[in-house]
Amino acid sequence: MAVITLTRGDITDQHVDAVVNAANSSLLGGGGVDGAIHRRGGKRILEECRALRASHYGGGLPAGQAVATTAGLLPARWVIHTVGPVWSAEEDRSELLASCHRESLAVAQGLGARTVAFPAISTGVFRWPVEDAARIAVGAVQRAVNKADFDEVRFVLFDDRAYRAFELWIG
């Protein structure tokens, strides 16, 4: 069974098989984690994302789904792009956030990845409260890794607040 770990740091520095990108639906880069992965990973990631847009995802990648590309210049083998939902006080979108984690792990398993690193999906510009995102993310990952064969699933948190929120849910 996979070990679920936490680290405070930069997801673009992770030496894992696959890093998960909190992408926007265009798959063409943006701010936050998405921008950092595209900048550090180089043009090969963008080229593969453009090819995905030209073939299967002409309208963009829907929230809750995941797709993989090369990791380019990152120290990982693959980038798994997933689009988190925008938080809403009026509509419960927690199933979409959980789906980001499940689908990313399913893609990782299909690639043969043994180690995967996740950021805190949807907690930046998509405004999901980090404490709630941590509960949903850790729960989804715990349930998914029981059905898959990973060595480690790592949450890479950029700041102390996010680290503390995720720490509450990882025993």
Side-chain angles (χ1 to χ4, degrees):
M1 182 187 323
V3 175
I4 300 173
T5 62
L6 293 175
T7 190
R8 189 171 181 290
D10 182 342
I11 199 154
T12 66
D13 291 334
Q14 303 304 303
H15 292 264
V16 292
D17 293 328
V19 295
V20 176
N21 179 17
N24 65 52
S25 64
S26 76
L27 294 174
L28 302 178
V33 169
D34 194 22
I37 285 174
H38 276 269
R39 280 189 304 277
R40 176 127 184 238
K43 66 182 180 179
R44 260 197 77 212
I45 296 172
L46 182 57
E47 289 168 358
E48 287 190 29
C49 285
R50 284 186 176 141
L52 287 167
R53 284 296 305 267
S55 60
H56 300 3
Y57 300 101
L61 183 65
Q65 293 187 17
V67 65
T69 65
T70 181
L73 302 172
L74 296 174
R77 293 179 64 190
W78 300 286
V79 174
I80 299 172
H81 307 268
T82 191
V83 180
V86 175
W87 183 80
S88 170
E90 292 80 38
E91 180 184 351
D92 181 7
R93 299 177 180 166
S94 57
E95 179 53 33
L96 278 174
L97 184 55
S99 179
C100 290
H101 296 84
R102 285 192 310 270
E103 293 298 315
S104 294
L105 289 172
V107 169
Q109 185 176 19
L111 294 168
R114 305 284 303 172
T115 55
V116 181
F118 279 95
I121 297 169
S122 287
T123 62
V125 70
F126 289 176
R127 302 180 323 274
W128 204 289
V130 69
E131 295 79 7
D132 192 45
R135 175 187 62 80
I136 294 165
V138 172
V141 167
Q142 286 173 333
R143 287 185 295 278
V145 297
N146 288 334
K147 302 172 190 162
D149 195 20
F150 295 103
D151 294 329
E152 179 187 11
V153 176
R154 180 183 310 162
F155 286 99
V156 182
L157 294 313
F158 194 70
D159 61 28
D160 289 334
R161 180 173 176 233
Y163 187 93
R164 286 190 304 273
F166 276 76
E167 190 175 39
L168 291 173
W169 297 100
I170 294 179

